[in-house]
Amino acid sequence: MQKNDLVCLSVTDLNNLGCGVGHLSGGDADGMTVFVQGAITGDEVEARIIRITKQYLVARLERIVVPSKYRSVSDCNASLGCGGCSYRHVVYPHELDRKRAYVEAAFKKAGLAEVTVEPVRTTGETSGYRNKAQYPIGSDREGRTVAGFYAVNSHRIVPSDHCSLQPPVFGELVRYVCGFCDRHRISVYDERTGKGLLRHLYLRMGKATGEVMVCLVVKGDSLPHEEEFSREIIEKFPSVVGVLLNINRADTNVVLGERYRLLAGKSSIEDVLCGLRFRISPQAFYQVNHNACELLYGIAKERADLSGGELLLDLYCGIGTIGLSMADRAGEVMGVEIVPEAVECAKENAARNGITNATFVCGDASDPEGLLKTAADLRGDLSGAVIVLDPPRKGTTRELAEAIARYGVRKVVYISCNPDTLARDCAWFRELGYEVGTVTPVDMFPRTGHVESVVRLVRQ
Ligand code: SAH
């Protein structure tokens, strides 16, 4: 087998990166795994080998000889170039099957093959669901300003002013902002030279309120014609409630700098989630899919199964959404979060919703000497407490899991956007004497390779 060889393949699987998986048959490489971007389970394809490693081959799709029954027409012409939507060209039920299989495989790999993974729960809404986008800004061959998404594994921008995962107003804002910058010849940032001003367009929307935030990330302290910019946006887009600049002078691929400047309106948006009203500052995390988030929190609340008197610890709490949505069933809620602006929002969100049994602190949730110890010192005993864990993609820490076990906490509800770290962490909890309950995946990110999951851990 050599580079550029053409092979015929039956595609037998589809991974979460949107690659069809097949195996060579015959010859000295018999049985070797081949990944083909754009091919899906059930396709018969011709593909050209473009990369050879000891364990697998990568091939480029040349021709679909027999299309799979799971194929659907992609309604986005950028999806293969942009790579954001691994499942854009697949019927939705098959995507849900693959996502369940992905979660199952992660648990199996972590040594938890006997854990039951339920079918993926979904709201059924597969487009326009995102409430946040960060578009890198660049220029095309003609020198026009473009904004879009990075192509897979690269920093080449695939222009996008009509991404079907985003609400239509985001595309309109992309067009307006690019047009404004062209009109005023505002330079775009070039990663290679470190020169130029415009870096990203960061947009956020409250699904229930319709409020939109527009934030331009710039390498500088100001934007030429910034008064005109913010005035025009507010005039043309009635849903925009705030226009901001984010100052990012560092030569880094981290999108946001620390400093914001408000150009017009207010610096945060509001949304209504689970019947509560939340303030969301630009620095704070907020779940990107409003309706799927309500579905997820509902399942988490069911799993927490609070009876009214318990202490609920909301670890990695963001703006307090989970703890506050469960506060009516808890005796007391304590949340911890590392981003100070998010903690400010969480405190304010408790107050504005008239919730008096919730407190929030800023700190490292993974630190066993942190909130957990404070709560134990206050209460004396944490065995009756319930913990909600919702860490970032890298998961939680072994130290935290050990501390939770040491304090004798009986019930943990673990929410995760990364099946691999979730499974790893569940294996720790099992070693520490917890029974791992049924895993319920929730499709928070339809059409993309990502999937959220929730699972209850109960101390035996
Ligand atoms: N539970 C929230 C947020 C989940 S996202 C919600 O559902 O909206 C994970 C959160 O953990 C983010 O807000 C992030 O800022 C925070 N975080 C990351 N590392 C942390 C740490 N070591 N300690 C506390 N919070 C952390």
Side-chain angles (χ1 to χ4, degrees):
M1 185 58 52
Q2 289 184 342
K3 235 172 140 173
N4 283 324
D5 280 359
L6 202 60
V7 294
C8 291
L9 276 182
S10 299
V11 180
T12 51
D13 204 354
L14 176 60
N15 72 14
N16 62 316
L17 301 172
C19 285
V21 186
H23 295 91
L24 293 180
S25 62
D28 32 339
D30 188 43
M32 189 94 162
T33 303
V34 190
F35 295 103
V36 190
Q37 182 81 40
I40 70 166
T41 325
D43 280 341
E44 302 284 332
V45 301
E46 265 176 20
R48 199 171 294 281
I49 304 294
I50 52 173
R51 208 174 136 214
I52 301 180
T53 75
K54 284 212 177 86
Q55 290 85 26
Y56 60 88
L57 306 169
V58 181
R60 188 177 60 228
L61 180 62
E62 292 284 329
R63 190 164 78 91
I64 301 169
V65 184
V66 184
S68 160
K69 64 177 182 191
Y70 300 125
R71 272 200 172 270
S72 76
V73 181
S74 165
D75 52 356
C76 172
N77 53 17
S79 63
L80 286 182
C82 137
C85 288
S86 302
Y87 296 109
R88 172 69 49 200
H89 49 309
V90 178
V91 293
Y92 190 47
H94 186 61
E95 171 182 340
L96 296 176
D97 280 351
R98 298 326 301 146
K99 286 182 169 173
R100 181 194 195 176
Y102 170 28
V103 179
E104 268 174 348
F107 274 80
K108 199 167 164 192
K109 198 168 141 216
L112 298 173
E114 73 295 345
V115 168
T116 306
V117 177
E118 288 185 336
V120 180
R121 304 272 289 270
T122 174
T123 61
E125 179 187 37
T126 57
S127 62
Y129 63 80
R130 282 191 60 100
N131 58 25
K132 175 184 168 185
Q134 290 177 332
Y135 299 90
I137 302 177
S139 44
D140 65 11
R141 286 217 182 96
E142 282 78 43
R144 280 183 305 240
T145 309
V146 292
F149 299 105
Y150 288 128
V152 192
N153 296 331
S154 95
H155 270 206
R156 184 172 53 80
I157 296 171
V158 179
S160 171
D161 59 5
H162 57 266
C163 170
S164 67
L165 302 186
Q166 315 288 353
V169 65
F170 281 18
E172 292 162 25
L173 281 160
V174 165
R175 282 194 291 277
Y176 169 77
V177 169
C178 290
F180 181 90
C181 295
D182 280 341
R183 234 172 30 245
H184 292 289
R185 302 181 185 285
I186 302 172
S187 64
V188 300
Y189 176 71
D190 181 339
E191 282 179 329
R192 284 162 306 180
T193 62
K195 295 210 165 68
L197 184 68
L198 300 170
R199 302 177 70 127
H200 277 80
L201 174 63
Y202 169 23
L203 302 176
R204 223 172 199 181
M205 184 170 103
K207 174 103 171 178
T209 57
E211 291 188 357
V212 173
M213 172 199 86
V214 177
C215 176
L216 258 184
V217 185
V218 291
K219 186 178 184 180
D221 291 319
S222 60
L223 179 75
H225 313 280
E226 60 186 39
E227 274 169 33
E228 179 189 339
F229 177 73
S230 48
R231 191 182 59 242
E232 270 191 17
I233 288 194
I234 301 256
E235 270 168 27
K236 286 187 197 306
F237 298 91
S239 54
V240 174
V241 295
V243 183
L244 298 99
L245 288 184
N246 174 273
I247 318 298
N248 186 357
R249 290 183 164 281
D251 289 318
T252 155
N253 57 13
V254 176
V255 176
L256 297 171
E258 283 191 0
R259 214 153 61 78
Y260 287 83
R261 259 188 66 215
L262 182 63
L263 298 184
K266 55 180 188 172
S267 59
S268 309
I269 57 163
E270 291 181 20
D271 202 5
V272 179
L273 186 75
C274 300
L276 302 173
R277 200 168 176 98
F278 290 96
R279 181 170 79 82
I280 308 156
S281 75
Q283 298 91 343
F285 176 90
Y286 184 58
Q287 300 285 355
V288 296
N289 181 339
H290 175 276
N291 297 351
C293 177
E294 288 188 334
L295 175 64
L296 172 79
Y297 285 6
I299 298 166
K301 196 167 184 174
E302 227 173 81
R303 297 286 149 86
D305 193 24
L306 296 160
S307 60
E310 297 94 336
L311 169 63
L312 176 69
L313 298 180
D314 183 358
L315 305 186
Y316 311 91
C317 68
I319 58 168
T321 42
I322 299 182
L324 294 175
S325 72
M326 296 187 187
D328 60 336
R329 298 276 298 276
E332 187 186 351
V333 175
M334 291 169 90
V336 59
E337 158 65 43
I338 208 156
V339 174
E341 293 83 1
V343 179
E344 285 313 305
C345 286
K347 290 178 179 167
E348 198 182 310
N349 290 332
R352 66 165 53 194
N353 289 289
I355 296 171
T356 52
N357 63 341
T359 52
F360 295 94
V361 292
C362 188
D364 181 353
S366 308
D367 177 8
E369 296 294 308
L371 181 69
L372 215 51
K373 186 168 181 303
T374 312
D377 290 347
L378 278 172
R379 288 282 178 126
D381 174 27
L382 288 187
S383 60
V386 176
I387 290 184
V388 173
L389 272 182
D390 184 15
R393 287 190 66 74
K394 66 175 191 235
T396 187
T397 61
R398 175 100 199 180
E399 294 71 50
L400 182 71
E402 282 171 1
I404 290 172
R406 203 166 50 243
Y407 285 115
V409 177
R410 211 178 75 78
K411 207 186 306 173
V412 177
V413 177
Y414 195 141
I415 298 174
S416 161
C417 60
N418 183 344
D420 298 306
T421 55
L422 172 66
R424 177 201 67 196
D425 298 359
C426 283
W428 293 339
F429 276 102
R430 197 179 56 180
E431 265 177 65
L432 293 163
Y434 286 77
E435 183 189 49
V436 180
T438 303
V439 181
T440 308
V442 176
D443 200 13
M444 187 76 98
F445 317 99
R447 299 342 232 147
T448 79
H450 301 281
V451 61
E452 193 88 13
S453 303
V454 52
V455 58
R456 177 166 61 191
L457 309 160
V458 178
R459 194 176 157 89
Q460 296 306 289

